[in-house]
Amino acid sequence: MNKFRRLFISLHACIVGFVKGCRPLIFLDGTHIKKKFKGCILSAVTKDANDDLFTLAFAVVEAENDANWEWLCLKLRRVLEMQNCVAFSHFTFFSDRHSGLVKAIPGIFTGSPHSYCLRHLVDNFRRQILKKYPLHNKKHWESIFQKAAYAATENEFIGHITSIIKSMPLAEEFIKSSEPENWANCLFSGKRWCIINNNQAECWNSWIKPARFLPIVAMVDSIRVQIMNMMNNRRESSLVMAGNLCPKPENNLLRNYTKSRNLKVDRSSSWIFEVLDGDKRCAVDLEKWSCSCRTWNLNGIPCNYTKSQDMQGSNVTARWGYFCRYSLS
């Protein structure tokens, strides 16, 4: 007897839009179809130039399992190869650490970094470790775990992890087995602009929630229309944008510029500066696009230390304009 198994959809406009206008980040997640229409929707979404939700592909399957995730990854690889994306090492994948994705991503997208969602890790930390220490302040230790994940330097990371293990020895094995190189900022080998959660995929699941109550054919068409309307609305909004940057990155740069006004700067060379912020000193190298605070390196956005008033000058200002246009791509 013929039986529906699975369906993969990636619209041409979504593929081209991702390759030409989005960051190389792919968020993967699954969500259930509602009511009597059983099954799951697996999604691959990303962020556009304004840090907003952008759909790359989705699939309707009978269940979220290892075989279906492998199948979706193979399909996703094929559509990317059609756009001449054959070197996958610059793509960063995000997931909730589903076993199917842990197996499929390294095999299908060789060399691609795989980032584990911090929110799911904190949930596991609460259930597997904090539950065994009922007298501990759960919110406090959850925040320490999150600080370790966001730490920009290895010393900061080690400090937070050490405090957790000293207070809860059972946490040591949990942390080792969780593969910190896949979730800690200071250890992560890929580029993810300091994004550490799989929220983008969760937002997509909520965005299509009304469609998940429909029969499969109607559901797929409803999602198609949603994507079409979103892309048209973004297109119309972009027509009135001024300047080289989208509004959100531009606001981030403006905020950093405002913070920089009271900093003291000493020049070492044309491109190298030492910035004093109270008791904190940072070395800024505009030639290498780096700051010793590592915020620039992690976020991909020049931090407040790189735009101090004392760095003004024709060469530095021109260099800054170059960063504004290209360092966010």
Side-chain angles (χ1 to χ4, degrees):
M1 185 178 74
N2 293 328
K3 183 179 178 181
F4 172 81
R5 286 193 62 201
R6 49 199 183 190
L7 171 69
F8 176 86
I9 297 172
S10 186
L11 303 174
H12 178 72
C14 294
I15 303 169
V16 174
F18 169 69
V19 173
K20 293 187 176 181
C22 294
R23 296 185 183 184
L25 308 174
I26 299 177
F27 302 81
L28 301 169
D29 196 23
T31 186
H32 291 287
I33 298 173
K34 301 294 186 179
K35 290 195 173 179
K36 67 177 181 179
F37 310 107
K38 304 299 182 183
C40 288
I41 302 175
L42 306 182
S43 61
V45 300
T46 185
K47 281 177 173 281
D48 65 14
N50 197 42
D51 279 341
D52 289 324
L53 178 67
F54 190 89
T55 306
L56 173 56
F58 65 96
V60 184
V61 297
E62 74 275 17
E64 184 180 5
N65 54 37
D66 293 6
N68 282 328
W69 272 124
E70 182 182 13
W71 170 80
L72 180 133
C73 287
L74 286 169
K75 293 291 186 182
L76 193 58
R77 174 177 176 137
R78 184 179 177 186
V79 299
L80 292 174
E81 286 175 337
M82 290 170 62
Q83 296 296 317
N84 297 319
C85 298
V86 293
F88 298 109
S89 58
H90 71 289
F91 289 110
T92 297
F93 289 84
F94 292 76
S95 79
D96 58 3
R97 209 182 173 197
H98 189 282
S99 61
L101 290 169
V102 172
K103 297 172 187 174
I105 289 174
I108 297 171
F109 299 99
T110 306
S112 293
H114 184 183
S115 177
Y116 298 157
C117 177
L118 177 62
R119 183 172 62 81
H120 286 84
L121 278 168
V122 171
D123 288 343
N124 292 337
F125 177 67
R126 184 190 306 115
R127 290 195 302 267
Q128 298 177 30
I129 302 301
L130 288 175
K131 192 175 181 180
K132 298 176 182 178
Y133 296 89
L135 298 181
H136 281 57
N137 185 325
K138 290 181 173 56
K139 288 186 177 180
H140 169 73
W141 290 109
E142 285 175 16
S143 70
I144 297 298
F145 191 92
Q146 291 174 348
K147 286 179 181 178
Y150 280 103
T153 65
E154 196 166 343
N155 286 338
E156 290 179 72
F157 171 79
I158 292 172
H160 293 308
I161 293 299
T162 300
S163 67
I164 291 173
I165 293 173
K166 281 184 177 179
S167 179
M168 294 171 284
L170 293 175
E172 183 173 7
E173 183 56 34
F174 171 85
I175 292 169
K176 286 181 180 178
S177 63
S178 69
E179 301 171 279
E181 66 274 11
N182 290 77
W183 52 266
N185 263 339
C186 66
L187 303 178
F188 193 71
S189 60
K191 193 173 183 181
R192 59 181 179 180
W193 288 271
C194 217
I195 300 167
I196 208 164
N197 286 303
N198 204 26
N199 293 342
Q200 203 76 351
E202 299 287 352
C203 289
W204 194 86
N205 293 340
S206 297
W207 182 60
I208 64 159
K209 187 174 181 179
R212 287 157 54 194
F213 289 87
L214 300 173
I216 290 177
V217 175
M219 177 186 71
V220 169
D221 195 54
S222 176
I223 295 173
R224 176 191 64 82
V225 172
Q226 279 186 259
I227 294 171
M228 181 178 67
N229 287 333
M230 174 182 278
M231 295 183 76
N232 181 64
N233 292 336
R234 300 270 174 81
R235 181 188 61 81
E236 291 181 346
S237 297
S238 68
L239 294 176
V240 297
M241 290 182 184
N244 296 312
L245 287 179
C246 291
K248 289 180 182 178
E250 189 170 22
N251 288 338
N252 289 336
L253 288 172
L254 180 61
R255 184 164 54 249
N256 286 345
Y257 175 76
T258 303
K259 291 179 182 178
S260 73
R261 294 187 173 183
N262 296 322
L263 301 177
K264 182 181 182 301
V265 176
D266 294 310
R267 183 187 293 265
S268 175
S269 68
S270 298
W271 304 111
I272 300 176
F273 302 83
E274 182 179 74
V275 183
L276 180 63
D277 181 12
D279 295 331
K280 183 177 182 179
R281 291 181 180 272
C282 290
V284 176
D285 189 331
L286 297 181
E287 190 71 28
K288 295 181 179 179
W289 297 22
S290 68
C291 177
S292 60
C293 75
R294 297 200 73 237
T295 303
W296 190 357
N297 309 66
L298 294 172
N299 290 345
I301 297 177
C303 61
N304 55 307
Y305 299 120
T306 66
K307 190 49 180 168
S308 173
Q309 294 289 324
D310 294 333
M311 288 188 194
Q312 296 297 333
S314 58
N315 290 337
V316 176
T317 303
R319 188 78 174 174
W320 177 261
Y322 180 76
F323 294 144
C324 289
R325 283 189 287 274
Y326 299 111
S327 69
L328 302 174
S329 60

